Amino acid sequence: MKNIAVIGAGTMGNGIAHTFAQNGFKVNLIDVSEASLKRGMDTISRNLDRMVSKEKITEADKTATLANISTFTKILSGIQKADLVVEAATENLNLKLRIFKELDETCAEHTILASNTSSISITQIAAATKPERVIGMHFMNPVPIMELVEVIRGYNTSNEVTQTIMALSKKLGKTPVEVNDYPGFVANRILMPMLNEAIETLYNGVAGVEEIDTVMKLGMAHPMGPLQLVDFIGLDVCLSILNVMYNGFKNPKYAPCPLLVNMVNAGKLGVKSGEGFYDYSESKKAEKVSKQFK
């Protein structure tokens, strides 16, 4: 397995492409937008620069990594020689079903089809294709740094495909953990209710944003407070995952907090929109800089 196709050049897609390319794989990064592909490649280049500055890799390693990545705006063009396709598109079931149907019609028989979905059923996605060769590869953000890969077996995923992906994940320097196909899998089934409860705590007026995050960082040794983490993940992504879990289990403990719903509707999505539970706007950054020199 040497040729990898990654569909989606966003945060997760470019991180997955970066990780495979840095480990010597040939990667075709696919997105419908040239602008998205440019942003994705710029992100990869900046992240590599950061690794060079920290002496984790050499300048030659950076050059080789970038040389391993080619970009495409058409799925058909990018998957011709792929041994593995990793879908990292938006968390939308209908979109994923369309992508996997197209992959089923155009990929070679040996190609393994993986989804980076963080909550949507692999079995449901696999219904659009040959289900025995479909699997979940849930990487963690930021992909080049985080060690875990959740490997999710669909109801019909073959043992051979599962073993291949477990071994491949180890070649990337990751620790794969095999889990079964239930809403939220393991990571988000445990994480999202905690994040939702932090939002409920704010919504109920128990404490403020910084107070809640400080309690969890200092009291529970979390490297990042839960509300800051929601901003980092994206409020819209958290809402989508909670809705998948709520609809899948019909259990009210997974129901999204009304404050989360309202903030998403208002466009306050966290870091990517410039504001969530914290303010990430340019004016706020300038204010922080000015305070440092007072």
Side-chain angles (χ1 to χ4, degrees), residues 79-140:
I79 62 171
Q80 291 298 313
K81 297 180 180 179
D83 301 305
L84 168 69
V85 179
V86 182
E87 171 272 315
T90 306
E91 282 289 271
N92 178 290
L93 176 60
N94 290 331
L95 173 62
K96 291 183 187 297
L97 289 174
R98 288 199 302 272
I99 289 172
F100 274 80
K101 185 175 186 298
E102 184 173 353
L103 293 175
D104 182 57
E105 293 170 351
T106 54
C107 283
E109 282 296 318
H110 75 278
T111 306
I112 295 175
L113 308 179
S115 176
N116 181 60
T117 180
S118 55
S119 61
I120 297 173
S121 167
I122 297 300
T123 302
Q124 197 170 5
I125 292 172
T129 180
K130 297 176 180 64
E132 67 278 358
R133 61 176 177 160
V134 178
I135 197 164
M137 287 186 81
H138 180 206
F139 291 86
M140 304 293 125

Side-chain angles (χ1 to χ4, degrees), residues 13-225:
N14 70 61
I16 294 167
H18 171 165
T19 301
F20 273 105
Q22 191 177 326
N23 284 277
F25 293 87
K26 295 296 183 182
V27 180
N28 289 348
L29 182 58
I30 306 165
D31 200 293
V32 294
S33 164
E34 286 282 5
S36 295
L37 287 168
K38 184 180 184 307
R39 283 195 299 272
M41 291 304 297
D42 287 345
T43 298
I44 293 170
S45 185
R46 285 196 304 272
N47 288 338
L48 288 167
D49 283 337
R50 194 174 294 115
M51 296 175 81
V52 170
S53 68
K54 293 181 179 179
E55 299 184 346
K56 292 186 176 180
I57 63 171
T58 65
E59 193 67 41
D61 292 330
K62 174 192 171 180
T63 301
T65 298
L66 291 174
N68 281 335
I69 306 174
S70 302
T71 59
F72 297 83
T73 55
K74 301 290 185 184
I75 288 180
L76 183 59
S77 303
I79 62 171
Q80 291 298 313
K81 297 180 180 179
D83 301 305
L84 168 69
V85 179
V86 182
E87 171 272 315
T90 306
E91 282 289 271
N92 178 290
L93 176 60
N94 290 331
L95 173 62
K96 291 183 187 297
L97 289 174
R98 288 199 302 272
I99 289 172
F100 274 80
K101 185 175 186 298
E102 184 173 353
L103 293 175
D104 182 57
E105 293 170 351
T106 54
C107 283
E109 282 296 318
H110 75 278
T111 306
I112 295 175
L113 308 179
S115 176
N116 181 60
T117 180
S118 55
S119 61
I120 297 173
S121 167
I122 297 300
T123 302
Q124 197 170 5
I125 292 172
T129 180
K130 297 176 180 64
E132 67 278 358
R133 61 176 177 160
V134 178
I135 197 164
M137 287 186 81
H138 180 206
F139 291 86
M140 304 293 125
N141 186 27
V143 180
I145 296 172
M146 298 295 280
E147 186 179 353
L148 175 67
V149 178
E150 268 190 310
V151 177
I152 303 105
R153 291 188 66 139
Y155 192 82
N156 292 303
T157 305
S158 72
N159 289 331
E160 180 185 1
V161 165
T162 303
Q163 290 162 10
T164 298
I165 295 303
M166 293 289 284
L168 178 64
S169 299
K170 292 176 182 177
K171 288 182 181 179
L172 297 176
K174 305 297 186 185
T175 299
V177 177
E178 182 182 335
V179 304
N180 290 319
D181 186 20
Y182 291 94
F185 316 132
V186 171
N188 281 321
R189 183 168 180 172
I190 295 169
L191 175 64
M192 286 300 153
M194 185 199 76
L195 300 183
N196 196 45
E197 192 62 29
I199 301 170
E200 285 278 1
T201 303
L202 177 66
Y203 179 59
N204 293 329
V206 178
V209 171
E210 292 188 6
E211 289 76 13
I212 291 168
D213 278 356
T214 299
V215 167
M216 296 305 289
K217 286 190 288 186
L218 300 184
M220 310 301 167
H222 289 197
M224 184 183 292

